[in-house]
């Protein structure tokens, strides 16, 4: 909020958009390169927990958190709720859990189809938990609690809304745009088009961020397809509800099912 000479308060102008998303991409690429150097340093590469921690925090969370916070503080309304929809309602838990588990079942089904068609192993659950402390820290807390919040803020908060605002600028009634919403059939059509493009664009960006390299097997390709579908569904949740609560819970549930599958899968024999 800003205060004029007359003492009247006005909401801060929203100036974040696609340039902020691009800053996040560049920061992610740069920090990922830095991490590749760090994990090769003596005394670091040999410690699995340290490598995982550096990769997760430095190249995973840091660039996304930094760009979101900078966008809302300097170019937004200094509120993650107002700018990016970081809000929760009780119903979000039920909806998110149902969607997250459903997405995991769909992912397993797709992996099985790939296995049948290609004759390759489509899933890779080693079984067991190994070090229980590391399992809880990385597979449960990091992957299923922290990462969903960080990634949803960037992909379904900043990126999705930035694309919406670029396709249907302020005044067209899109989420995060300053000014009154427009009315009429033309405005509704523009908003729907903006929402579709934003959901697909943010899902594609979400997939690229999780791309370890060019997929060389059918199983790797199915993983990327799964990520894109997950990104689309989470984007739809964010658009329909206007908040990130359902997509955060769904994202967390989807990731948590991996830890559950590791627990229930018998450990591989012979390494």
């Amino acid at each position: 909020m800003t205060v004029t000479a007359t003492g009247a308060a006005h909401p801060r102008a929203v100036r974040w958009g696609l340039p902020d998303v691009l800053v996040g991409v560049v920061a992610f690429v740069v920090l990922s390169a830095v991490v590749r150097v760090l994990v090769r340093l003596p005394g670091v590469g040999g410690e699995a927990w340290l490598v995982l921690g550096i990769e997760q925090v430095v190249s995973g969370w840091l660039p996304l958190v930094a760009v979101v916070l900078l966008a809302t503080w300097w170019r937004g309304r200094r509120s993650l709720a107002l700018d990016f929809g970081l809000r929760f309602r009780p119903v979000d838990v039920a909806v998110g859990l149902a969607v997250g588990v459903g997405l995991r079942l769909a992912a397993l089904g797709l992996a099985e189809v790939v296995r049948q068609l290609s004759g390759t192993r489509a899933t890779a659950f080693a079984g067991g938990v190994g070090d229980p402390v590391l399992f809880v820290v990385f597979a449960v807390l990091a992957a299923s609690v922290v990462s969903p919040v960080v990634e949803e803020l960037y992909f379904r908060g900043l990126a999705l809304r930035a694309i919406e605002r670029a396709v249907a600028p302020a005044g067209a009634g899109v989420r995060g745009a300053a000014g009154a919403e427009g009315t009429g059939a033309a405005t509704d059509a523009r908003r729907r088009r903006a929402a579709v493009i934003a959901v697909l664009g943010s899902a594609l960006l979400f997939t690229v961020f999780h791309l370890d390299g060019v997929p060389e097997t059918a199983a790797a390709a199915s993983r990327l397809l799964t990520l894109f579908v997950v990104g689309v569904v989470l984007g739809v949740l964010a658009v329909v509800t206007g908040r990130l609560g359902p997509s955060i819970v769904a994202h967390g549930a989807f990731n948590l099912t991996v830890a559950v599958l590791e627990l229930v899968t018998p450990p591989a024999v012979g390494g």
Side-chain angles (χ1 to χ4, degrees):
M1 299 289 285
T2 59
V3 180
T4 65
T6 61
H10 295 283
R12 289 171 56 89
V14 173
R15 296 181 293 113
W16 49 259
L18 293 180
D20 302 270
V21 178
L22 180 59
V23 168
V25 173
V26 173
F28 173 79
V29 172
V30 171
L31 289 177
S32 294
V34 171
V35 164
R36 284 195 291 271
V37 174
L38 289 177
V39 297
R40 291 188 176 92
L41 294 176
V44 176
E47 299 290 342
W49 66 271
L50 187 55
V51 171
L52 286 172
I54 291 175
E55 290 177 341
Q56 186 71 80
V57 176
V58 177
S59 64
W61 298 338
L62 181 58
L64 305 187
V65 170
V67 73
V68 166
L69 293 180
L70 290 174
T72 189
W73 184 256
W74 274 308
R75 292 165 57 80
R77 288 171 284 191
R78 297 183 177 179
S79 168
L80 294 177
L82 292 177
D83 280 317
F84 308 126
L86 184 60
R87 297 186 297 271
F88 289 87
R89 293 182 181 176
V91 69
D92 295 346
V93 176
V95 172
L97 287 175
V99 172
V101 173
L103 284 172
R104 176 56 63 189
L105 292 176
L108 291 175
L110 176 61
E112 179 60 22
V113 169
V114 169
R115 188 187 72 80
Q116 294 289 345
L117 294 177
S118 65
T120 61
R121 180 178 173 83
T123 57
F125 299 109
V129 300
D131 187 321
V133 175
L134 294 184
F135 182 80
V136 171
V137 170
F138 290 104
V140 179
L141 296 180
S144 306
V145 178
V146 181
S147 286
V149 175
V150 171
E151 293 185 4
E152 290 309 301
L153 271 170
Y154 178 77
F155 294 109
R156 259 64 64 176
L158 173 62
L160 187 149
R161 294 177 180 222
I163 297 172
E164 275 190 318
R165 296 185 67 226
V167 176
V174 297
R175 276 158 292 279
E181 294 189 356
T183 58
T187 296
D188 290 341
R190 179 184 294 182
R191 287 197 298 179
R192 286 193 295 270
R193 182 174 68 252
V196 170
I197 294 174
V199 167
L200 295 177
S202 60
L204 180 60
L205 186 63
F206 176 70
T207 304
V208 171
F209 263 68
H210 291 82
L211 180 64
D212 297 325
V214 177
E216 299 178 351
T217 65
S222 73
R223 176 177 179 271
L224 294 182
L225 178 58
T226 296
L227 285 168
F228 182 75
V229 172
V230 169
V232 169
V233 172
L234 296 181
V236 170
L237 281 178
V239 167
V240 170
T241 65
R243 58 186 184 275
L244 296 181
S247 65
I248 289 174
V249 176
H251 194 155
F254 179 77
N255 288 355
L256 185 61
T257 53
V258 173
V260 173
L261 288 169
E262 294 285 5
L263 284 172
V264 301
T265 301
V269 179

